[in-house]
Amino acid sequence: QVQLVESGGGSVQAGGSLRLSCAASGYTYRNYCMGWFRQAPGKERERVASIYTTGIGTNVVDYADSVKGRFTISKGSTSNTLYLQMNSLKPEDTAMYYCAAKSGGCSWDSRDYTYWGLGTQVTVSS
């Protein structure tokens, strides 16, 4: 059973930075897609970034256009922690951020993800 626990959220002023972490257990390092999603009040859940490790250990990353150049997704050296480094934060980045996982390749559709954490709140003030 895959378990995901997020941390690192908080309140920050526009232009600031935060690093989210997701402690993962019970999954295979390769051939799993790990992603960060966010959901603001009254909006649908959207994928922010994802990372897929191929069978030969290559990481394939992808970002939503709204965060490209500002956010970086990565895995820790022990492979059981997922990170999201968020720089140049904007008020529109305010949302609950979730870590998610699925076997196989990544998808833009949150419904394709099997495992979810409980989320961590990010609030960006102007």
Side-chain angles (χ1 to χ4, degrees):
Q1 181 72 17
V2 177
Q3 292 185 326
L4 305 172
V5 180
E6 305 95 335
S7 62
S11 297
V12 64
Q13 289 191 329
S17 298
L18 284 172
R19 188 175 81 157
L20 305 184
S21 300
C22 173
S25 61
Y27 82 108
T28 58
Y29 176 63
R30 297 180 181 181
N31 297 317
Y32 254 80
C33 175
M34 303 290 292
W36 286 100
F37 287 76
R38 67 186 181 187
Q39 188 167 20
K43 295 188 177 181
E44 292 187 355
R45 190 169 295 189
E46 62 172 350
R47 188 177 77 166
V48 174
S50 61
I51 184 167
Y52 173 71
T53 304
T54 68
I56 59 172
T58 302
N59 285 329
V60 179
V61 299
D62 198 12
Y63 298 94
D65 288 343
S66 59
V67 306
K68 280 181 181 177
R70 301 188 298 122
F71 290 11
T72 302
I73 189 171
S74 62
K75 287 182 176 178
S77 58
T78 58
S79 307
N80 63 351
T81 305
L82 180 71
Y83 299 103
L84 184 68
Q85 177 67 43
M86 306 185 296
N87 298 328
S88 301
L89 282 161
K90 304 175 180 181
E92 51 264 43
D93 293 319
T94 295
M96 183 70 79
Y97 283 71
Y98 298 91
C99 176
K102 65 180 291 293
S103 60
C106 293
S107 166
W108 284 107
D109 192 339
S110 63
R111 295 170 296 182
D112 293 333
Y113 288 75
T114 307
Y115 306 102
W116 291 86
L118 296 179
T120 186
Q121 178 67 38
V122 171
T123 302
V124 184
S125 58
S126 57

